[in-house]
Amino acid sequence: MTDKPITVTSPLLPNLDDLIPMLKDIWDRKWLTNNGHYHKELEKALAEYLGVEYLSLFTNGTLPLITALQALRITGEVITTPYSFVATTHSIWWNGLKPVFVDVEENSGNIDPEKIEAAITPHTTAIMPVHVYGTPCNTKRIQEIADVYGLKVIYDAAHAFGVKVNGDSVLNAGDISTLSFHATKVYNTVEGGALICHDEATKKRIDYLKNFGFAGETTVVAPGINSKMDEIRAAYGLLNLKQVDSAIASRKDIAEKYRAAFKEVPGIRMLNDVEGVHHNYAYFPIFIDEKSYGMSRDALYAKLQERNIFGRRYFYPLISTFSAYKGLESANPKNLPIAHKLADQVLCLPMFSGLDEESVNKVIDVVLKK
């Protein structure tokens, strides 16, 4: 195997020469965490960039999900999707709540709003949808259902950094949205995340909860957790924010090359841009119909690896098939036919801003069976 590895993603990195002076400043200040100088600067800069009013930084992308459920005092059952990364459902479990799975839309992978009402019981208090691959959910319909039944809506927006619908940030939908700034994401702080809410009181409660519940030097108002972002990652994040727009533009170019190459290939389905949506091109999934394509998804996955190309089967297997959740009534495959279909067909191709044209063409050639 002589080809250089082509990974499914690669982190967006700031210039090291720009980071070093900021590290020296952190060393001089001797304030490494707990709402320091760069932490405050990054919260402010991200809120402005994303078009949101209240944003709290976290040390990773899972703790915002856990804290969101705490902040809204969610109890009982939470309706969610099986087609996501496991952190979505794990956050429900860690809060002692019951996840209830409903099926997804085939054209987006997002939770199907028309399946939500049938899953609501007297114990349901919230809905936790996911903007899969950064494609916005049907937030209007989900909110209509939530309003009728008095439910909270927490969006897992880990994929949706910078995504807008008709000029407005998708993060402004629902009661709370969460972001992940993991190294694999469009925008990263190595590890990190954020929680977005819409009023000052909720923001204050969130900030208490992410700092052990402290509301002052000697006052603890809730059993909080330690999920603060440190100064080093905040400084790194400020630098990455300056280049994220060019990174998204690069991702868009790659997506357009893939789409042009595969648009006439039988058995390959792609997700198209949605009218009125500013996409971030976080992932490039293709869905393989084995009969029409002449090869299974897993066979193509293996063929790519033979050429040192490492795609990922996001999201396979479904969360509902894992041992912790497969015993739930809502996890029965009969209830989730579309989610199972997508999980068995999906393959995310390499997608990142540093992916050169030669590598893109190598990926295309393998998928075209050249």
Side-chain angles (χ1 to χ4, degrees):
M1 190 180 295
T2 57
D3 293 345
K4 70 174 183 179
I6 303 173
T7 52
V8 70
T9 188
S10 184
L12 180 66
L13 293 167
N15 188 302
L16 190 57
D17 290 336
D18 293 334
L19 182 60
I20 289 171
M22 299 175 82
L23 293 177
K24 186 179 184 305
D25 185 50
I26 292 169
W27 260 242
D28 291 342
R29 291 175 185 272
K30 295 182 173 62
W31 191 316
L32 300 183
T33 187
N34 211 2
N35 203 30
H37 171 77
Y38 289 106
H39 180 283
K40 292 175 182 175
E41 288 294 311
L42 184 57
E43 276 201 346
K44 179 181 177 182
L46 280 172
E48 182 177 345
Y49 176 87
L50 294 169
V52 300
E53 193 165 0
Y54 298 99
L55 180 147
S56 296
L57 287 174
F58 280 72
T59 193
N60 61 45
T62 301
L63 287 166
L65 287 165
I66 293 173
T67 304
L69 292 158
Q70 286 282 321
L72 297 179
R73 298 180 173 90
I74 302 303
T75 61
E77 298 176 357
V78 178
I79 292 173
T80 191
T81 171
Y83 194 73
S84 180
F85 185 63
V86 290
T88 307
T89 306
H90 283 355
S91 69
I92 298 169
W93 184 94
W94 274 99
N95 276 281
L97 308 173
K98 181 182 179 181
V100 177
F101 299 114
V102 302
D103 209 1
V104 300
E105 300 172 324
E106 187 165 4
N107 66 342
S108 67
N110 291 331
I111 194 168
D112 187 342
E114 302 313 317
K115 302 291 177 61
I116 290 175
E117 280 189 280
I120 295 173
T121 76
H123 304 291
T124 307
T125 58
I127 309 168
M128 185 180 279
V130 179
H131 301 298
V132 177
Y133 310 126
T135 301
C137 294
N138 186 343
T139 56
K140 180 180 179 181
R141 181 66 183 127
I142 291 170
Q143 194 60 54
E144 288 173 351
I145 295 167
D147 289 343
V148 168
Y149 291 92
L151 307 178
K152 298 292 186 181
V153 182
I154 299 168
Y155 282 102
D156 181 339
H159 302 174
F161 184 91
V163 173
K164 297 179 181 178
V165 181
N166 297 322
D168 184 37
S169 173
V170 73
L171 303 173
N172 287 320
D175 295 281
I176 281 180
S177 291
T178 71
L179 287 169
S180 170
F181 302 150
H182 185 267
T184 59
K185 297 298 187 286
V186 171
Y187 167 85
N188 83 88
T189 59
V190 183
E191 283 273 10
L195 197 155
I196 292 89
C197 62
H198 313 310
D199 63 86
E200 187 175 358
T202 304
K203 155 76 168 165
K204 184 178 291 187
R205 177 167 170 77
I206 289 163
D207 287 343
Y208 292 160
L209 287 168
K210 76 175 186 181
N211 186 30
F212 304 100
F214 277 105
E217 185 177 352
T218 59
T219 304
V220 174
V221 295
I225 199 166
N226 182 17
S227 49
K228 304 181 298 294
M229 179 180 284
D230 60 78
E231 285 291 270
I232 296 170
R233 279 183 281 182
Y236 175 111
L238 282 165
L239 293 176
N240 254 356
L241 192 58
K242 295 178 181 180
Q243 60 179 352
V244 72
D245 283 340
S246 62
I248 292 171
S250 174
R251 287 169 173 268
K252 181 179 180 180
D253 288 343
I254 295 165
E256 289 174 348
K257 288 184 175 73
Y258 282 148
R259 285 175 180 158
F262 305 143
K263 65 180 179 180
E264 303 295 338
V265 179
I268 292 182
R269 183 173 69 87
M270 298 172 283
L271 302 183
N272 295 316
D273 285 358
V274 179
E275 186 177 354
V277 174
H278 174 75
H279 290 271
N280 66 5
Y281 306 95
Y283 299 88
F284 194 87
I286 59 174
F287 299 87
I288 303 297
D289 182 313
E290 181 177 355
K291 185 176 180 180
S292 300
Y293 181 63
M295 182 186 299
S296 71
R297 183 276 309 274
D298 288 343
L300 176 58
Y301 175 71
K303 185 181 176 184
L304 286 163
Q305 287 192 334
E306 290 171 3
R307 290 288 305 275
N308 232 6
I309 300 168
F310 298 92
R312 290 294 296 273
R313 293 167 290 184
Y314 287 137
F315 294 99
Y316 169 85
L318 293 179
I319 300 172
S320 54
T321 66
F322 295 138
S323 59
Y325 307 114
K326 65 181 181 180
L328 295 170
E329 183 180 351
S330 64
N332 189 321
K334 293 180 180 179
N335 299 326
L336 308 168
I338 302 302
H340 276 275
K341 179 181 179 181
L342 297 186
D344 290 340
Q345 292 185 341
V346 70
L347 180 61
C348 285
L349 301 179
M351 167 61 78
F352 53 91
S353 61
L355 190 62
D356 58 73
E357 186 171 3
E358 180 184 0
S359 296
V360 172
N361 288 335
K362 285 182 179 179
V363 175
I364 289 171
D365 285 347
V366 176
V367 175
L368 293 179
K369 305 175 186 175
K370 291 185 178 179

